[in-house]
Amino acid sequence: MKEFIGLESFIVFYRVFGGHTSCVFRKLHDRGFICGKIYLFCFVSDQNLCDLRGCCWSPQDDTRVPWCYFSSNHGYQTGGQLQSTPQVLLNRLSAPSLFGNDIDTVLLTGEYQTQNRFHFKITDPKNKRFEVPHEHVVPFTGSAASDLKYKVDVENNPFSIRVTRVSNGKVLFNTSIGPLVYADQFLQLSTKLPSSNVYGVGEHVHKQFQHDVNWKTWPMFSRDSAPSGNMDNLYGVQTFFLCLEDTSGASFGVFLMNSNAMEFALQPAPAVTYRTIGGILDFYVFLGDTPEQVVQEYVKLVGMPALPSYWALGFQLSRYDYGSLDEVKAVVERNVAVDLPFVSKNVVFHGEIEVAGLGNSGCTFSVDPAISTEPLKNGSEYPAYQRGENSKVWINGSDGAPLVGEVWPGKTVFPDFTSPTCTNWWVSECQTFYREVPYDGLWIDMNEVASFVHGSSKGCEQNELNYPPYTPQILDRVLYSKTLCMDAVQNWGKQYDVHNLFGYSMTLSTQEAIKAIFPGKRSFLLSRSTFAGSGKYAGHWLGDNAATWDQLKWAIPGMLEFGLFGIPYVRNEYALQKYDFCKSNFIPVGVHKCVVLKLKSLIGYFQPQDPAYFGADSILVKTSKHYLNIRYTLLPYLYTLFYKAHTQGDTVARPVLHEFYSDEATWSVDRQFLWGPGLLISPVLDQVGFTVSIFITEILVYWINLHSNMKFVSVFALIADFYRKNPMGLIIALDDNNQATGELFWDDGESALELKFGETLAIQHNYFIVSQNTLQMNVINNNYSDPNNLKFQEIKILGLQQELMTVTVLQGNAVQVSSHNITYNPTDKFAVISGLQLDLGKSYSLTWTLGTRDTEKFDCYPSAGASKELCEQRGCIWEDTSSSNVPYCFYGSDNSYSVSGVQYTASGLVANLTYTNTMARAFGRSTSPISTLRLEVIYHSNDMLQFKIYDYANKRYEVPVPLNLPSTPTSTVEQRLYDVTVQTKPFGIQVRRRSTGTVLWDSQLPTFTFSDMFIQISTRLASQYVYGFGETEHATYRQDLNWHTWGMFTRDQPPGYKLNSYGFQPFYMGLEEDGNAHGVLLLNSNGMDVTFQPTPALTYRTIGGILDFYMVLGPTPESVVQEYTALIGRPVLPPYWALGFQLCRYGYADDKEVAQLVEDMKAARIPYDVQYTDIDYMERQLDFTLSPEFAGLPDLVNKIREEGMRFIIILDPAISGNETDYPAFDRGVQDDVFIKWPNSNEIIYGKVWPDYPNVTVNNSLDWDTQVELYRAYTAFPDFFRNSTAEWWAREIMEVYDNPRDPSLSLKFDGIWIDMNEPSSFVHGAVWGCRDNELNNPPYMPSLGWREQGLAYKTLCMEGEQQLPDGTLVRHYDVHNLYGWSQTKPTFDILRNITKERGIVVTRSTYPSSGRWSGHWLGDNTAAWNQLEKSIIGMMEFSLFGISYTGADICGFFSDSEYELCLRWMQLGAFYPYSRNHNGEGSKRQDPVAWNTTFEEISRHVLNIRYSLLPYLYTLMYQANAHGSTVVRPLLHEFVEDRTTWDIQKQFLWGPALLISPVLEQVKADRNTGKIRKNRKNELSLIVALNDSQLAEGQLYWDDGVRIGKDKNGHLHEKSPKFKICAHKAQILSFFFSSVDFEHEHRIFILGILGNDHTRVCLRGME
């Protein structure tokens, strides 16, 4: 007993049989060793029988594991002497017999046949046993090979044989794992394998290409059985398997030449066991450096695959039992009529179908082997049977008489194709039939051999052939089930031995017939039953499958396995049952099968299923034509692959692992496959839509495909030949080194290659090599002249990172005149050279130059100060250009990140990004690229996805803004609007709209980099129509893509060209050329800029955080905003009163001035509802204080509120720190609310509006001097802190309810928060900043006053803030969130104090600010151009989800002119936020500051506004409830009219009201109604009918101020919906009693056709 390791792990038993120690039990491990052996089944499930057989018994939890298994006493040991050829006798060890008739002495013979092939067989030296009489595998006669790549060792006792790879010492084949068993009717040999990567053996339905080695047993015995999900033996027998050893690609194969019934068992060791019930053990072991080489070695032994005729690669149609010739013609005609490309039809006739008149229509006939013994219908004898009977060609029963079975014709006999006499008879019969019906090929079926009765019409005798001692686990567990008796006799031997050879022998005989009928031609031969070597002459289809999605998936492993077996011409039968199933996937998958598709249905069971049957306009016809045209385009490439299979043994349909074995992910890939080395086919195999997860290897290998370049022309029966007359083309796919190779084989398409009598092989062989921007087209062999004078007219080059600029054609060294055209697709990086005239059969070279057109130049030096030297230091290209704004310094190569480890899920994918360029130069330490990144793509919903790139090794700052994301993704594959592709090298993400194929995002561009303080990514855009990004003043609503860069960083910056302003909105909407729309948000809050270029493309650059993108798919512009606001939060619903006209001014002297203004507005009867005061009302601009000059303000506020007006106060965030008694600051310090220096308790002080106490400001001094002399130090609350929200609420509460003096309480209704970028009048801090890199980062975004750094007019970037969860963050990261963080606390306290909805208006915004506030467009200037810009600004903020917007009417800075202010009042009356406001030092501009004409015009236009307020309020509700826009660009409603895509001087309120203001200076023509009164006025309904006399609309109505939700969680609302049809207005639902309505209601109907409108009916009453 051998030594154990770890005795506590084992249990030892001894059991004695005849005095021998039998078993040593050990505890089971994952490798399953026991008795010193791995479990090998001893073929009993009973302990007593197990003991009797001398085997080991050990019950297990896993029932798959054998309980009875061999002990070490079984097997053989060597005896005798080795002969001159490696031979040795083996003597059986003394052990109980398993099945009797053990052969005590056997002979092992080994042959070193080639460097890579070892052959050994074990025979009975005393008695001749059956050996397979193979046509191609003959006895080895050569001398032993030398320089072997393997070493063979034989162990003596017990016997085992071991084959080792010499190069690495790895044991490949090792039979010591189990005993050799060699009995008359049971032979077994097992081998340990070096890996579990086992492929092959058949024929079965293997649900996966890579075998499951977890205790699987596969029977092999040819059988007429339809494929299923069971482990049934099917039509053929293929005993070859391939084993991939490791990532080096080293592989080996094993082939057992044995034709008896057998089993192939796998177990987890890993190990495999062959069990057969007859013949000999005749093994071949093949070594290869790659899996492909192993297959090549195998087919060299069994026979190289046949080269099919060119026409046989065309699409084919078949159907079981057409019934008549007319039906065949009808099928042909209807498919020709729809221009379906197909080459032939396979006709299946049984019985006595009349075939005369079929003519020369290019048919392949199905022929079964069984021959009827019965007369024809006319009573005459069946000639074929009579001639066969006369020649004695039938298989005989054990009684010597022809065995009679039953197949399709009834009683039948079966030809013995192993007999030369039978072959001669078969050839003669095929010739006779050909003379009657000329056909093009033969399809041999039912040749397992199949019979519908078991054994024979008389049954089978009970003997050891029909009932052997051991029957493999075949279907039915009876050998003669659905076939012949095993004691039947053929020329080669007993049926027991040759049953599995029947299809093979029939193939050999049929090939002789083809040679006789088609001398010198290849024709067509297809066989259902196969054996090793069948592929030398025949193709194969995978049998009579079912129309299920599983069968579609299982067909790929089947096809790949037959590629291993040397039968590349293989197809799947598509017996389709349902049109939906057919139209969706079978055709697209089938056209890429290897390599022919047959549609076959069972008449009487299912309807016809040829594509045209479903109608010329059916989806199936359209799909079939599309994919078949792709197939026909690729036929020259496919034909070349078959030539290489025929001459070299290459696979055609190739497993992905054959090319990419170094990537372990490929080892189990069987839902994709390759054509040869170059074409990856990734079909949809599940009924879940039309997307598929595609394996893309880390190593990208490109290829050359050859294709026919013309569209399909409908010529039935000549279609393949017609394609051969079309011009040729090349597809070149470059690898990472810009190289590619390929070849083309071309001949007449049907002549046999094996010509005799010294004839020249009539072929043409071209090789293509691409290197150094040169294509060499070399003709290697050219003794075939194509009669069609074919030319290469088009060359497509894939993988060109730069544009193809020029092409030169040379023949020899002579330049050829060529009038070709060049096009380049920068998105997909390919060029097309068309118009070439390169003769097929001649050698050429094409050289080309590459360059970068201006629109493809991506700026490599976006910082200031670019130079040629600095540019080239970054590895970029410097090129002087005269074109305006085109970068001088641009990228010349791909980005340096590649993708690995892609993991797909139903809801997205995850992948790793690796930086691969160690030579790249960074801006500095903080811009060195991060070496490993993580990509996550999440399909959140059908119309929204997220893609996020971050450093998974080191936590980085991420934006703490919550989004409304589903807890788990809700998207479904079939309903998703998008498809996502991750490009691996270089890295890129591509998002396509599924319905149109439009690329919405394509970032496989050279700019991508990700470092600590510089992150950059670019994307191609779907069109030139892009809207959004802010907040900056844009001169046009549509972005100008002509090299413009826009910085984004919140700053106290009045609107100005290219100046980053108050807010930060990194969102854009893109229109696609077809009018579809999408939106993209980058959730990043660091300083950034975006560059547009006319490519069209967009580049993002940000200086921190991560890349976190969200894309919404619309598809309409309006639905883009709805989806975006669903993500970030819906716009706030303002109170009804906030829609009234509002007045404010910075510079009111005192409360008396405000009071007088109110009275003047009343007197002028100008509608007006809200009054403000700016910071003038504060004492020295200190928040939460009241200036003595405004001591009467509280009373004024109370008075106007009693009259129905409202009042809004302003608050700035900065709090003075230079006061001796200022509770706001003192309590702020106590509550620790202010932003501090990092790692310190020191507050960062800036300066803003508050003045020092006890100073008199000299306004005549310059601004900077005033700041220095008079402005107090200010601290800045950190609104992220929970304590700050509480402090802020308390301070605001004390303004509303002053605890020290209630008379000073200001009963405001809204809060206006200003200066919250945050703004400071000193740059950074009073004493400057301390961290230069943060304030002057390596890359400074393209901001206003760029050279001043980030701290310009704000805080130092190193300021430390604290998130609600306690996380410390730098102001550098959250600066752009300052206003956002202030907005919600302000909103919450406003509602808490007033108990009404109220309104907050903020200057600084971020995505989702609109949930709590409105926004005005900042401190604009009184200038005419500001009118149009205000429309652009409002439309942009509509995109950003902030509906309550408007500009300061008449302008903030400078004195407004009369006409300008008047036109602005007319425009401003249609701002959702309608406020007239201007600055200190400018003259008054309120409506009563001018003259009575101005007052009259203002009153008129504001009355129009007020009459429309119910409609505006409804729009605001719809924005709040559904995310709709209020101020709406015309393109949102009329996107089909491209004129609207550039309209920015008009806008809509919602879908129905068009506002077209006067925006330019032209000569102008020269009531105080309040909201409370307005709501009691009559309501009118304006109905504008369309051309169909239809209109519809909706009204939202509530009390205008109430907060809260009812018990069902809905806002209190009363929403009558109106639908107008012809001349009748019908209110569909009205749930609100008109308690506010005191007057009549009027309906205005516009656009009524006709004249008679005298009758109006309401509620049925006239």
Side-chain angles (χ1 to χ4, degrees), residues 6-36:
L7 291 175
E8 71 281 0
S9 300
F10 303 98
I11 304 172
V12 181
F13 290 96
Y14 295 86
R15 198 173 268 128
V16 177
F17 295 97
H20 297 285
T21 300
S22 174
C23 299
V24 179
F25 285 75
R26 296 194 230 169
K27 184 177 179 181
L28 300 178
H29 292 278
D30 58 338
R31 291 171 56 85
F33 283 96
I34 197 156
C35 297

Side-chain angles (χ1 to χ4, degrees), residues 1249 1261-1268 1271 1321:
W1249 288 116
L1261 297 175
D1262 66 87
W1263 176 255
D1264 289 339
T1265 301
Q1266 288 187 51
V1267 169
E1268 180 181 356
R1271 298 290 180 255
F1321 297 162

Side-chain angles (χ1 to χ4, degrees), residues 666-797:
T666 67
W667 297 356
S668 59
V669 170
D670 53 19
R671 295 170 70 97
Q672 301 165 271
F673 58 96
L674 294 160
W675 268 12
L679 182 63
L680 177 65
I681 297 156
S682 300
V684 178
L685 301 174
D686 296 293
Q687 192 177 11
V688 290
F690 295 93
T691 60
V692 62
S693 296
I694 298 176
F695 165 79
I696 301 178
T697 182
E698 296 178 40
I699 307 170
L700 291 181
V701 176
Y702 293 106
W703 65 95
I704 293 183
N705 288 337
L706 296 118
H707 69 283
S708 177
N709 191 33
M710 297 295 287
K711 294 182 178 178
F712 170 70
V713 180
S714 174
V715 182
F716 172 68
L718 296 176
I719 186 66
D721 288 337
F722 194 92
Y723 263 86
R724 289 174 56 87
K725 298 175 184 177
N726 293 337
M728 304 288 285
L730 283 176
I731 301 175
I732 301 171
L734 301 173
D735 65 11
D736 291 340
N737 298 315
N738 293 315
Q739 297 179 347
T741 60
E743 57 189 291
L744 166 68
F745 168 76
W746 199 248
D747 64 357
D748 65 4
E750 61 179 0
S751 293
L753 299 189
E754 296 78 11
L755 302 178
K756 299 179 180 179
F757 310 114
E759 296 182 29
T760 303
L761 192 63
I763 65 168
Q764 183 183 114
H765 210 146
N766 298 47
Y767 276 93
F768 305 92
I769 303 171
V770 180
S771 181
Q772 297 180 336
N773 297 336
T774 299
L775 166 65
Q776 295 287 346
M777 304 174 67
N778 301 324
V779 179
I780 305 303
N781 185 351
N782 187 16
N783 46 32
Y784 170 71
S785 179
D786 193 281
N788 301 308
N789 298 316
L790 292 179
K791 300 179 185 298
F792 287 98
Q793 288 191 352
E794 179 182 287
I795 297 176
K796 180 181 287 186
I797 306 174

Side-chain angles (χ1 to χ4, degrees), residues 45 121 516 541 610 896 1043-1044 1166-1167 1375 1427 1438 1469 1614 1619:
S45 299
K121 64 180 181 178
W541 82 103
D610 56 279
S896 298
W1043 305 103
H1044 285 283
I1166 297 174
H1375 168 85
L1427 275 71
S1438 287
K1614 316 300 173 195
K1619 183 175 182 182

Side-chain angles (χ1 to χ4, degrees), residues 1191-1223:
L1193 184 60
D1195 290 338
L1196 175 62
V1197 170
N1198 293 336
K1199 177 177 179 293
I1200 65 174
R1201 292 183 81 245
E1202 288 174 1
E1203 296 173 353
M1205 288 185 64
R1206 303 286 179 150
F1207 182 75
I1208 293 177
I1209 62 167
I1210 186 172
L1211 291 173
D1212 293 341
I1215 303 297
S1216 173
N1218 290 113
E1219 309 298 322
T1220 57
D1221 182 19
Y1222 185 31

Side-chain angles (χ1 to χ4, degrees), residues 145-382:
S146 58
D147 297 326
L148 300 178
K149 294 187 177 180
Y150 54 87
K151 181 180 70 169
V152 179
D153 296 293
V154 175
E155 295 292 332
N156 294 330
N157 188 11
F159 157 76
S160 67
I161 187 167
R162 184 171 65 249
V163 180
T164 304
R165 184 181 292 275
V166 170
S167 62
N168 58 14
K170 182 171 289 187
V171 177
L172 310 181
F173 188 91
N174 183 0
T175 68
S176 66
I177 192 172
L180 168 66
V181 180
Y182 206 115
D184 183 39
Q185 288 186 276
F186 184 84
L187 299 84
Q188 175 175 291
L189 190 66
S190 303
T191 178
K192 179 79 167 58
L193 302 178
S195 86
S196 297
N197 303 314
V198 180
Y199 311 88
V201 175
E203 180 175 13
H204 317 94
V205 170
H206 293 143
K207 298 179 182 180
Q208 59 191 50
F209 182 51
Q210 183 185 44
H211 270 287
D212 179 0
V213 298
N214 196 22
W215 305 103
K216 300 291 183 182
T217 297
W218 297 95
M220 287 183 278
F221 192 65
S222 59
R223 167 69 184 252
D224 173 17
S225 179
S228 69
N230 303 320
M231 298 176 64
D232 298 336
N233 49 300
L234 298 181
Y235 312 102
V237 170
Q238 298 288 343
T239 64
F240 171 78
F241 77 83
L242 179 146
C243 180
L244 173 67
E245 299 163 33
D246 51 41
T247 56
S248 72
S251 306
F252 72 98
V254 175
F255 168 54
L256 171 58
M257 179 67 90
N258 183 291
S259 60
N260 288 84
M262 71 174 71
E263 291 172 343
F264 181 77
L266 301 104
Q267 61 191 79
V272 298
T273 298
Y274 284 95
R275 303 185 191 103
T276 181
I277 60 171
I280 66 170
L281 295 178
D282 193 1
F283 282 97
Y284 294 82
V285 180
F286 312 90
L287 275 71
D289 294 332
T290 66
E292 193 71 4
Q293 288 182 13
V294 173
V295 176
Q296 291 168 347
E297 291 291 331
Y298 172 63
V299 295
K300 286 177 187 177
L301 174 72
V302 301
M304 293 290 196
L307 175 64
S309 301
Y310 194 91
W311 62 262
L313 302 183
F315 177 60
Q316 307 178 28
L317 284 175
S318 176
R319 182 173 160 198
Y320 171 73
D321 205 343
Y322 279 107
S324 70
L325 182 62
D326 289 339
E327 178 66 15
V328 177
K329 291 179 178 178
V331 171
V332 172
E333 289 169 358
R334 67 183 177 233
N335 284 281
V336 169
V338 300
D339 289 343
L340 185 78
F342 73 109
V343 64
S344 70
K345 45 189 186 308
N346 299 322
V347 184
V348 188
F349 289 129
H350 291 294
E352 301 171 42
I353 301 298
E354 175 62 53
V355 295
L358 184 61
N360 187 16
S361 57
C363 291
T364 298
F365 277 87
S366 173
V367 183
D368 294 347
I371 302 297
S372 174
T373 63
E374 299 174 2
L376 301 178
K377 285 183 178 180
N378 60 13
S380 62
E381 294 181 337
Y382 181 27

Side-chain angles (χ1 to χ4, degrees), residues 1540-1559:
T1540 66
W1541 296 11
D1542 283 305
I1543 290 178
Q1544 62 192 33
K1545 295 185 178 184
Q1546 300 168 283
F1547 60 97
L1548 293 161
W1549 269 10
L1553 184 63
L1554 176 65
I1555 293 113
S1556 299
V1558 176
L1559 303 175

